[in-house]
Amino acid sequence: MTDSIYPAEPPVDLRSARKITPPPPAAEPEFENPHADEAEVWAPAAGSEPEGSDQDYVWDEGDSDNQQELAPAVAAPAWHEELLPTPPNAETDPARWGRRGWFNTVSGGALKLRPRPEEVLHRRGVAAVGRPLIGDQLIMVANPDGGQAKTVSALMLGNTFATYRRSGPPVVWDNNESEGTLGLRAASAVPATSVWDLLASFGDLAAPHAAASGLSQFLRPQPTGAEVLASDDSADRFDEIEGEDCEKIYSVLRRWRDLVIVDTGNNRRCESWVWTARNAHVLVIPIVYALDATVAVLKMVESLKRLGLEDLVANAIVVGTPNSAGPDPELHDQIHEILSKVGIRNFTDVPFEPAFPRGGRIDYDRLSEETRRAWVRVTAMTATVLAESAHYGTTALTAGDRPATGPLVRDREQRTGRPARFAELDRHLDRHVEQVYRGPDHGERRYLA
């Protein structure tokens, strides 16, 4: 058998080979985007700004002092949309509400009608509620006047956060100094424990080896996933919750929970109320539109300002509810105007819910769709303030350094210490009370019936 002969290339003499410098690369042709007409490229209006001005660049939307000059905005290449399409969002997802949602459903996906603006706003609210929080956050629900739906508001905030958040259940804490009604209004009343039971086990819960499951025996789980820490409702106890007790309770809660919603009592001078104000990141003020309730809010605002919590007032959210007689547009606008003059900027309304004034237990799933959607809006506003507060959280800012708008929170250390008493506070309220009781078009004094 003959050997196979394999062809081979001629040998290369490496010594005789010379190093040849490659020619410079040819200039690349200018990229032409076939979808340039469809791309959304930001450009200033013709004649609005000269060439080379600040308008030729994209600016960061953060603090004006930290804005950086970026490269001019350009359209994405054609292949970008093919391989990495824009993910669905609140504006592009098919509608689920109304007739548009019905047509999208019955078509089996063949139709993808876009949602109406109200559905888009609701989706944005849901996204804001589900936003992760930084650190532990405390929401204060307060109005010194009784019957202003503080307990209902605290429960609705807790149930809404629990429905749309995926990072742990919120705790709704009844921080009434004596007897609150949160445990009576919550959908579930099991287990029948209170803050005093938690305080009795504080040593075990605060120990380094304590397990997270130990806290669960003192919290009442709700159908939505929220948890309730009820106040004491026994007839044989005469003790009151003080500031030191609040510190112990919160130190245990914040160890395993990142969001606590506090339902406060009607006494703005008690230690538990002042402790909550000093440690709150955002204030929610429920109000049933009435003149006497407005006066109570004005007094509370002055109390907070005396504590040095002007930022808590500026970031407060007023949640207005019409009374059973129906909306009163004139009274609504008058109260908003008065509260705006004392530094409150955020207002929103929720509809009258017949199930709330009855005083029974609140089942979130049985409430009207209108009510639940309205509380998504309220909770989204609250979550937005919490997120912005965390951004500014530990920065000590003077009045001159604060931006004109945007939530701020003081350092928590500035809110510690023994609560102050306000013996001479009410003398400073004359000018605000006068505005509430004075008619809009005349100087005649109007008194409550």
Side-chain angles (χ1 to χ4, degrees):
M1 185 173 64
T2 59
D3 296 336
S4 299
I5 300 175
Y6 295 93
E9 295 181 357
V12 179
D13 186 2
L14 298 177
R15 293 180 181 275
S16 62
R18 293 186 303 170
K19 184 178 180 181
I20 301 176
T21 303
E28 296 182 1
E30 184 178 357
F31 174 75
E32 295 183 2
N33 183 8
H35 300 279
D37 295 336
E38 302 175 2
E40 296 181 359
V41 182
W42 180 89
S48 60
E49 290 288 338
E51 260 184 49
S53 67
D54 292 342
Q55 295 292 333
D56 293 333
Y57 296 91
V58 179
W59 292 88
D60 189 352
E61 296 181 357
D63 191 357
S64 58
D65 294 336
N66 297 327
Q67 288 175 342
Q68 299 177 357
E69 192 177 83
L70 304 178
V74 295
W79 53 263
H80 186 275
E81 288 298 327
E82 297 177 2
L83 300 180
L84 300 174
T86 303
N89 53 46
E91 290 81 7
T92 60
D93 270 347
R96 299 186 183 93
W97 291 5
R99 294 184 178 179
R100 297 188 179 194
W102 184 84
F103 281 119
N104 289 337
T105 301
V106 298
S107 67
L111 293 178
K112 296 183 179 179
L113 302 178
R114 290 201 170 193
R116 292 188 177 276
E118 56 269 19
E119 185 175 359
V120 173
L121 291 177
H122 177 79
R123 293 177 179 180
R124 290 176 178 172
V126 170
V129 173
R131 180 186 306 174
L133 299 176
I134 301 176
D136 60 283
Q137 303 286 342
L138 190 146
I139 302 172
M140 179 182 186
V141 182
N143 186 334
D145 192 25
Q148 298 301 309
K150 292 188 294 293
T151 300
V152 168
S153 300
L155 281 173
M156 290 304 296
L157 285 171
N159 286 323
T160 307
F161 269 118
T163 301
Y164 298 104
R165 282 185 84 226
R166 296 176 176 84
S167 56
V171 175
V172 187
W173 170 17
D174 191 346
N175 199 20
N176 193 299
E177 68 276 8
S178 56
E179 295 181 69
T181 59
L182 181 64
L184 300 176
R185 303 302 305 273
S188 175
V190 179
T193 53
S194 70
V195 293
W196 290 106
D197 298 307
L198 189 149
L199 287 171
S201 302
F202 172 74
D204 295 333
L205 294 173
H209 61 274
S213 58
L215 178 62
S216 302
Q217 61 182 317
F218 304 102
L219 304 177
R220 304 179 183 183
Q222 303 301 303
T224 58
E227 297 173 321
V228 168
L229 178 59
S231 63
D232 177 70
D233 58 359
S234 63
D236 56 350
R237 183 182 292 276
F238 297 94
D239 299 334
E240 292 187 353
I241 297 293
E242 299 179 352
E244 184 178 356
D245 301 323
C246 295
E247 192 65 38
K248 291 181 178 180
I249 295 170
Y250 188 51
S251 66
V252 172
L253 293 179
R254 66 185 291 195
R255 186 175 182 180
W256 290 290
R257 303 292 187 269
D258 64 343
L259 180 60
V260 178
I261 303 163
V262 181
D263 177 23
T264 59
N266 299 335
N267 185 2
R268 58 186 168 84
R269 293 188 174 98
C270 69
E271 291 189 11
S272 60
W273 196 98
V274 176
W275 180 93
T276 306
R278 287 182 179 273
N279 289 272
H281 295 87
V282 61
L283 170 64
V284 176
I285 307 174
I287 181 172
V288 179
Y289 287 120
L291 297 179
D292 57 343
T294 307
V295 173
V297 173
L298 292 174
K299 293 181 179 181
M300 179 182 69
V301 167
E302 291 291 342
S303 300
L304 296 172
K305 290 182 177 180
R306 282 297 190 88
L307 288 171
L309 302 177
E310 295 87 354
D311 57 323
L312 196 64
V313 174
N315 301 329
I317 302 171
V318 173
V319 183
T321 306
N323 55 37
S324 57
D328 185 341
E330 180 181 355
L331 180 63
H332 173 278
D333 296 341
Q334 181 185 4
I335 292 176
H336 279 207
E337 180 182 359
I338 294 299
L339 295 181
S340 298
K341 291 181 179 179
V342 296
I344 298 177
R345 304 174 299 172
N346 306 313
F347 300 87
T348 186
D349 293 334
V350 294
F352 176 80
E353 174 61 49
F356 291 162
R358 297 175 182 175
R361 298 195 179 276
I362 297 175
D363 189 343
Y364 180 81
D365 293 332
R366 293 181 179 273
L367 300 176
S368 67
E369 190 68 26
E370 183 184 10
T371 295
R372 286 184 291 175
R373 290 177 181 176
W375 276 100
V376 167
R377 182 175 64 251
V378 176
T379 311
M381 294 175 64
T382 308
T384 302
V385 174
L386 289 178
E388 294 296 331
S389 299
H391 175 70
Y392 290 101
T394 58
T395 304
L397 300 177
T398 62
D401 295 330
R402 296 180 183 179
T405 59
L408 291 174
V409 152
R410 295 180 185 273
D411 192 339
R412 183 184 296 274
E413 293 179 1
Q414 298 182 15
R415 298 184 178 180
T416 58
R418 296 190 59 81
R421 299 293 178 178
F422 311 107
E424 55 181 22
L425 178 65
D426 294 345
R427 69 177 62 180
H428 301 280
L429 299 172
D430 295 340
R431 61 185 183 276
H432 302 310
V433 174
E434 182 73 17
Q435 292 174 359
V436 172
Y437 286 91
R438 189 179 296 277
D441 299 324
H442 51 80
E444 182 178 343
R445 187 85 175 248
R446 296 189 303 175
Y447 292 91
L448 294 175

